[in-house]
Amino acid sequence: MSPVPPPAAAFPHPVFVVGIGADGWPGLSGAAREALADAEVLIGGGRQLDLLPPECAGARVVWPSPLRPAVPRLLAEHRERRIAVLASGDPMFYGIGRALAQELGPAGLRVVPHPSSVSYACARLGWPLEDTEVVTLVGRPAARLAASLYPGRRLLVLSADAATPAEVAALLTDRGFGPSRLRVLEQLGGEDEGCAEGVAEEWARPPGDRLNVVAVECRPSAGALRLGTVPGLPDTAYEHDGQLTKRHIRAATLATLAPAPGELLWDVGGGSGSIAIEWLRAHPSCRAVSVERDPVRAGRITRNAERLGVPGLRVVTGPAPGSLAGLPVPDAVFIGGGLTAPGLLDACWEALRPGGRLVANTVTLESEALLAGRHAAYGGELVRLAVAHAVPVGGFTGWRQAMPVTQWSVVKSPEPGARSDKGDRS
């Protein structure tokens, strides 16, 4: 077993984390050079370590793969020595600084940042940094880029390797953004800095340097499906078999669930996954688990999540409540199907953290009676949502009513046995 690292207080020396760019040693500040020259152990990627001159005489240790599990072990092995860790650019921007801070705490670190690749890219492009969205594909699927595609949006994509620009071009073309302008910025800040330019749907450039950033100016193709930033995506955005919370009801449901950054949703009876998917699209740090008993529908949820830019959606295949066992504690629960399954509503309520929200939708009288009973017992809000669409009636136009949806929403009281703090608003 790997040794457990001691707390930061047990380290006689702070761990220096030094950002380094493609310009290597000449581009470092005096403080960065001093920390590296003084270190007894130098830890970093092979490419980064090769940028150091002989006067950095410390023992050189290359990060193993996978990197994250190795961090506590290497820190523990060398804790009596002066350690310096090399990072690309700014260590606290998608860098190793985060993992080191988690292990040692801020008091155990001395971070010496370097301009990040994003800062360099914006400087070269003339883009205001605060108006530019950054998407990293380092160790992450390219599909997550789809959640950031909006007309006129400027994106900087942090590449995993030399193949990333072609992956980005292919994804843009597949998602209806083929006319988007791409610029691949390589070796930013170094002597071999370069830039390749083209249009996504015409991209045929062979892989270049693995150290690159892809700048994207999003331009949709004619007829591309428009997706907004708020809940209620078009129903046509989803592959489904009819088991789909329709657009207007979905928007109202997400508004009631009220996703916030970092929160976890259970979507029970996932159907096509629309509630969980739009929960995840609300903020990059949101998390969700979709539980669906039908394997065919579970596969469809996975495909919808990937296409709509949230491939991190966890899909659990199996009947609830049995499949809920062992899942992380949710901040919110949505029940879109299977309400009458024995023990389901109780299991969801018990699992929900204090202060969390539960929302349940139904169109059947049997489930409606169940929700009315829970409303009487726990409080909250019971509403009926109805939507009608204008349709041709002969040579005229009339309304066609969709099945009304009964919705119960409630906030779980922080105190056991207490009713919800949301009363009946009728």
Side-chain angles (χ1 to χ4, degrees), residues 129-169:
L129 184 56
E130 67 272 17
D131 294 334
T132 303
E133 183 174 353
V134 179
V135 181
T136 180
L137 299 186
V138 179
R140 296 165 173 84
R144 70 192 303 268
L145 178 61
S148 299
L149 301 181
Y150 298 99
R153 192 73 171 141
R154 288 172 169 175
L155 310 175
L156 286 179
V157 182
L158 305 184
S159 293
D161 51 37
T164 301
E167 291 181 43
V168 169

Side-chain angles (χ1 to χ4, degrees), residues 7 42 53 64 76 86 111 129 171 179 197 214 221 321 326 331 373 383 424-425:
L42 297 158
L86 285 167
V111 180
L129 184 56
L171 184 138
E197 184 173 345
V214 184
S221 56
D331 299 286
V383 300
D424 190 346
R425 297 180 182 177

